[in-house]
Structures are given as C-alpha cells and as structure tokens.
Amino acid sequence: MLLTLAWGSLFFPGLFALCTWTLRRSRPEWTNSDCLMISTRLVSSVQAVLATGSGIVIMRSCSDVVNGRHWLAREYVWFLIPYMIYDSYAMYLSEWYRTRDQDHGHSTTFRNFLSQNRLMIAHHAVILFVLVPVAQLKQQHTLLYKVNGILTLATFFSCRILLFPFMYWSYGQQQGLSLLQVPFNIPFFCNVANAFLIAPQIYWFCLLCRKAARLFDTPQAKKDG
C-alpha cells in the first residue's frame, strides 16, 4: 500500500517533468504554456492506458462480477491518489503560465482556474475524498457508502438507460410523433444498433441493483431468508 503510494508520487510528477523537459529541448519555439499543456495531456493519456489495462486484467481474472476481488483493484486506488493530486496542480500550473502575461496574481489565477474547471476539480475531489475512503476503509455498511450506491444507481439509470428513450422522444418531438411511433418511423438498423447498445447497459444496471440490494439486507432479513 505505502509502496504503491510512494511509487505513484514519484512516477506521475517525474513523467510530467521529463515530458516538459523533452518538449522544451525538442520544440524551443513552443511557449512554456504549450509545453506544460501537452505534458499534462501526455501524462493523463499514460494514466488512462494504465487504468484501462488494469481494468482488463481485473475483468479477465474475476469470474464473479459481483463478489470477485483482485489485488490490483485495491492497489491501483493507492496509485491513483498521487495522480489526482498531481493532475490538479499540473492543470493549475498550466493555467498560471498561460495567464501570467496578464499580470494576474496567484489569487486571481486560482479563482479563474476553479471557475473554468469546476467539473474536473469536483471529479478529482470526489475520487479523493469519497471513492477512495469507500474503496479502502471497508465502509460498506456506513451511510456514506449506501448514499453513494444510490447516487450511482440513479446516475447510471439516467445517463445510460433513460438516454435511449429520451433520444427517441426528442426525435418524436421534432417530427411530430409520439414516443411509441418513433421506432416505426426510423431506419430499422437504428433500432437494432440501439438495442445492441442498451442491452449491456441494462445487464450492468441489473448487476448494480443486485449489489445495492445486498447492501440494504439487514441481518434479520438474511436470517429469515
């Protein structure tokens, strides 16, 4: 755990510094802001590849999608903590170099940075202060964990399942059709493609519901069952 945390604390800032130094040497015509921006995106791409690779390894190693456990899932969370902290600082550093010619102080630059990157900062903060404690401190029976589970279900259902009827409804509003008429007034392959897309979403949502149901099973209910 601590070794993974230390490794991540060295890896991401070190890779960022290496990318920035290489770009400054190979592209002297680029500004500092350009070099920092590209370096930030390169490091983010590396992190995305590592996260995707870890996910593939975990999925291929766990046959039980509900109860399966893998050491990499636990360790990668600790590897992710320094990345989130580094990435927040790197984004701010890029913003400061980009606007420093405008004679803005750090306080003004910081306020502008927060204003322009609200969603990204919120994303990083939620991962650091909500998802990491939930994943590492075994708080499955706390109120925070249950609230997080409910929000996950609601978000998944709204963004991954309701999206499809919403698209049909929007098209119907534009063409003067009811929701039930839309499937019969669009190309057949569109319905087939949407069916292929929504099928795994419904499957994953069912798995999430099963997981959530287990969280709210009381000891007495389990005993009676």
Side-chain angles (χ1 to χ4, degrees), residues 36-85:
L36 291 172
M37 180 185 65
I38 298 299
S39 298
T40 301
R41 293 180 179 179
L42 286 173
V43 176
S44 296
S45 298
V46 170
Q47 196 283 135
V49 171
L50 292 175
T52 302
S54 299
I56 292 173
V57 171
I58 293 168
M59 287 189 300
R60 291 177 62 88
S61 302
C62 296
S63 57
D64 189 337
V65 297
V66 177
N67 301 311
R69 295 291 182 270
H70 195 280
W71 66 268
L72 188 57
R74 180 184 65 254
E75 290 299 321
Y76 197 84
V77 172
W78 291 106
F79 190 65
L80 190 64
I81 292 174
Y83 169 76
M84 290 299 169
I85 298 173

Side-chain angles (χ1 to χ4, degrees):
M1 179 182 70
L2 293 179
L3 183 60
T4 305
L5 190 65
W7 169 240
S9 300
L10 294 174
F11 177 76
F12 292 113
L15 182 60
F16 176 72
L18 178 61
C19 290
T20 304
W21 180 83
T22 302
L23 288 173
R24 284 175 175 170
R25 299 267 299 184
S26 60
R27 293 289 187 271
E29 69 277 11
W30 286 8
T31 65
N32 286 331
S33 177
D34 292 334
C35 293
L36 291 172
M37 180 185 65
I38 298 299
S39 298
T40 301
R41 293 180 179 179
L42 286 173
V43 176
S44 296
S45 298
V46 170
Q47 196 283 135
V49 171
L50 292 175
T52 302
S54 299
I56 292 173
V57 171
I58 293 168
M59 287 189 300
R60 291 177 62 88
S61 302
C62 296
S63 57
D64 189 337
V65 297
V66 177
N67 301 311
R69 295 291 182 270
H70 195 280
W71 66 268
L72 188 57
R74 180 184 65 254
E75 290 299 321
Y76 197 84
V77 172
W78 291 106
F79 190 65
L80 190 64
I81 292 174
Y83 169 76
M84 290 299 169
I85 298 173
Y86 140 79
D87 193 49
S88 299
Y89 175 74
M91 288 191 299
Y92 170 74
L93 191 62
S94 299
E95 177 69 14
W96 185 78
Y97 269 97
R98 187 180 67 83
T99 60
R100 66 175 181 171
D101 294 336
Q102 302 175 13
D103 295 329
H104 290 165
H106 275 287
S107 59
T108 302
T109 302
F110 186 69
R111 286 196 299 269
N112 292 338
F113 169 72
L114 292 179
S115 176
Q116 297 172 8
N117 298 274
R118 288 189 296 268
L119 291 178
M120 186 62 71
I121 297 301
H123 168 266
H124 285 27
V126 167
I127 288 178
L128 285 173
F129 299 113
V130 177
L131 297 185
V132 169
V134 166
Q136 293 297 325
L137 300 182
K138 301 185 182 301
Q139 297 180 343
Q140 289 87 343
H141 301 292
T142 64
L143 178 62
L144 175 62
Y145 191 92
K146 294 179 179 180
V147 170
N148 179 72
I150 294 173
L151 292 177
T152 300
L153 284 175
T155 304
F156 191 98
F157 183 74
S158 301
C159 298
R160 297 226 179 166
I161 295 179
L162 286 185
L163 172 65
F164 291 90
F166 176 75
M167 289 192 301
Y168 278 60
W169 176 84
S170 298
Y171 180 81
Q173 291 294 302
Q174 180 179 338
Q175 300 296 325
L177 302 170
S178 69
L179 177 62
L180 296 179
Q181 291 174 320
V182 171
F184 304 100
N185 289 272
I186 61 175
F188 177 72
F189 72 86
C190 292
N191 292 319
V192 173
N194 285 326
F196 274 106
L197 289 173
I198 197 174
Q201 314 300 331
I202 294 176
Y203 172 72
W204 292 327
F205 182 72
C206 292
L207 293 180
L208 289 174
C209 289
R210 287 174 55 190
K211 179 81 172 183
R214 295 182 57 176
L215 290 177
F216 290 94
D217 280 346
T218 61
Q220 183 61 39
K222 292 180 180 179
K223 181 178 180 180
D224 294 341

